[in-house]
Amino acid sequence: TYSACVDINNNLVFTDAGEFDSKTLSVTTATPTLSSLALNPVTVDLISGGRRAVALTATINDPDGSADISSCTGYLWNSSAQLPASSARYSSTCSLSACVGNSCICTCNFNLLYYDINGTWSANMTAVDATGNTVPGRITFTVNSLASSSLSNVPISFGTLLVGKSDQPATNNPF
């Protein structure tokens, strides 16, 4: 909050012509906004025994200018997951780029693991400006079921197969 007095006569004397009255004015900062929130890929196919890289991006706009945008954070979350370890993925690599005028691009990178639960997930992002104003954004996306498994150079042995014999089980189980 600031107090101001206007010199109506432009003579640097603030006591003539009613200029001794001061008015209080408040200066506020604008809250940023999020737009174009998107996940790449849009639908996630998990990789057998591996990690699927996904990127969450958005444009952050701040009427106070792009220099006022200080950070962004993101996480992915599946509310139907039973195990806490597989219900959320937090990004430690959110970054701001292409800051021009009043906007910046925020990108958060994640790795979904082969054992993550399929279904509808939420992608969440929060932008923060220099004065602590925040704005959240959220979209949903689909993680498909993993329909495969992989074996690395593990032979399946059926032992000795004899003519006329049926239903010979494997002698080892690589699974």
Side-chain angles (χ1 to χ4, degrees), residues 88-171:
R89 295 283 173 253
Y90 294 89
S91 180
S92 60
T93 59
C94 292
S95 60
L96 296 170
S97 63
C99 295
V100 177
N102 290 344
S103 66
C104 291
I105 303 295
C106 175
T107 303
C108 298
N109 295 303
F110 303 88
N111 285 309
L112 286 175
L113 306 173
Y114 66 95
Y115 54 79
D116 280 329
I117 295 172
N118 64 302
T120 301
W121 285 56
S122 294
N124 303 272
M125 182 180 283
T126 300
V128 182
D129 72 8
T131 57
N133 294 321
T134 63
V135 60
R138 181 177 76 101
I139 58 172
T140 59
F141 66 99
T142 300
V143 174
N144 290 327
S145 295
L146 179 61
S148 69
S149 61
S150 62
L151 298 174
S152 178
N153 296 325
V154 178
I156 299 175
S157 175
F158 289 96
T160 304
L161 298 176
L162 301 172
V163 176
K165 206 146 193 215
S166 62
D167 296 331
Q168 179 69 29
T171 57

Side-chain angles (χ1 to χ4, degrees), residues 16-90:
D16 58 344
E19 295 173 330
F20 56 88
D21 295 330
S22 65
K23 300 293 179 192
T24 302
L25 38 116
S26 297
V27 178
T28 59
T29 61
T31 300
T33 60
L34 277 176
S35 62
S36 305
L37 188 60
L39 192 76
N40 184 21
V42 175
T43 300
V44 177
D45 292 316
L46 300 174
I47 297 173
S48 180
R51 302 167 185 255
R52 169 66 68 195
V54 295
L56 179 63
T57 59
T59 301
I60 302 169
N61 297 291
D62 192 323
D64 296 325
S66 63
D68 194 51
I69 301 168
S70 60
S71 66
C72 57
T73 58
Y75 67 94
L76 308 179
W77 181 63
N78 181 333
S79 63
S80 66
Q82 298 299 314
L83 300 172
S86 63
S87 65
R89 295 283 173 253
Y90 294 89

